Amino acid sequence: MHSASDTFAQRPFAVPPSRGGRRGRDPATVTQELRDRLFGDLTAILSRMFRWSTDFFQPGQGGAARELVPESALNAVLGLCLEQRGWAVEREALQGGGRRDLKITRRGRAAVIETKRWGRNDYKEMQRRLESGWGSEVFAAVAIMIHNGEAATLVAGYRAACLSRPDLTVTRVPAPAPLLCHFRVHSTTADGFHATCDHLLLRIART
């Protein structure tokens, strides 16, 4: 294998890319920049959803209490807001072992986002769904769990119900308001990828 100096010796007019350019940049640096951008954008979007929380409720059936709108509506809001922030967004895109609520791309890299209402359907499988969407081009896999009940119930219940597998390395990282909690999970997927998955917990009140 030729060294960098050998390459430039063979091509005397080649100019190495500047540190400020994107050519030849350290992949780990690019990944971290994309992750910082994504989580900054998600925090801003979820903060606005929290501020306008009453708009995300609809009348319950048969006179029941108002309930959260379907997950499809929540995903539509997230997708539209991410597009406005410069991400390319696909709904129900094929990625890895199935369809993802949202697949977003930027600079040739992808992230997958799954959104659930607490207690609905297969919410306990959020971590496995994120892992199944991981691939060589993926820099982030994010679960967003939305709850309209007690905050303590969501945080403790989520950790026990969704992140109790013994092979997971779970860390609780600082979560800016209004997020209740941010769990970061390191694992090895069934395909042998080392995945870093993030779980964001948000409580949205009826009033």
Side-chain angles (χ1 to χ4, degrees):
M1 179 181 294
H2 295 298
S3 67
S5 59
D6 291 334
T7 302
F8 285 111
Q10 294 169 17
R11 300 174 59 192
F13 298 107
V15 178
S18 66
R19 291 185 179 181
R22 291 185 178 177
R23 288 184 55 197
R25 299 187 66 203
D26 176 25
T29 300
V30 174
T31 295
Q32 190 58 54
E33 288 176 353
L34 288 169
R35 287 179 60 84
D36 290 345
R37 176 66 178 267
L38 173 60
F39 287 107
D41 287 345
L42 284 176
T43 299
I45 294 167
L46 293 174
S47 294
R48 292 190 176 186
M49 291 175 68
F50 177 81
R51 285 169 50 200
W52 301 332
S53 59
T54 57
D55 294 326
F56 291 98
F57 286 85
Q58 61 186 4
Q61 295 183 354
R66 297 170 69 212
E67 60 183 22
L68 279 168
V69 297
E71 291 157 1
S72 58
L74 298 170
N75 279 312
V77 171
L78 283 169
L80 287 170
C81 291
L82 286 166
E83 275 194 343
Q84 290 182 331
R85 291 173 176 265
W87 298 89
V89 180
E90 298 178 69
R91 280 281 287 121
E92 297 293 336
L94 284 172
Q95 172 67 33
R99 293 190 177 276
R100 308 298 143 196
D101 288 344
L102 295 175
K103 177 182 177 180
I104 64 174
T105 54
R106 199 184 196 104
R107 291 162 57 180
R109 303 289 303 280
V112 294
I113 299 173
E114 299 284 345
T115 305
K116 283 288 182 187
R117 292 163 49 186
W118 177 244
R120 292 277 295 177
N121 301 327
D122 55 349
Y123 74 98
K124 294 182 180 180
E125 298 300 314
M126 287 290 270
Q127 176 63 24
R128 292 197 184 278
R129 283 189 59 77
L130 295 181
E131 289 173 346
S132 69
W134 198 274
S136 58
E137 80 283 18
V138 174
F139 69 87
V142 184
I144 299 173
M145 183 63 72
I146 296 178
H147 182 41
N148 63 347
E150 292 297 324
T153 300
L154 176 59
V155 175
Y158 194 91
R159 179 68 173 84
C162 306
L163 303 176
S164 60
R165 280 170 32 203
D167 61 308
L168 302 179
T169 300
V170 182
T171 304
R172 186 166 176 174
V173 300
L179 294 177
L180 292 176
C181 186
H182 179 173
F183 289 115
R184 179 159 293 154
V185 182
H186 296 277
S187 66
T188 301
T189 72
D191 295 323
F193 291 107
H194 296 290
T196 300
C197 303
D198 292 87
H199 299 250
L200 308 181
L201 280 55
L202 177 69
R203 177 178 179 271
I204 292 183
R206 292 186 179 89
T207 57

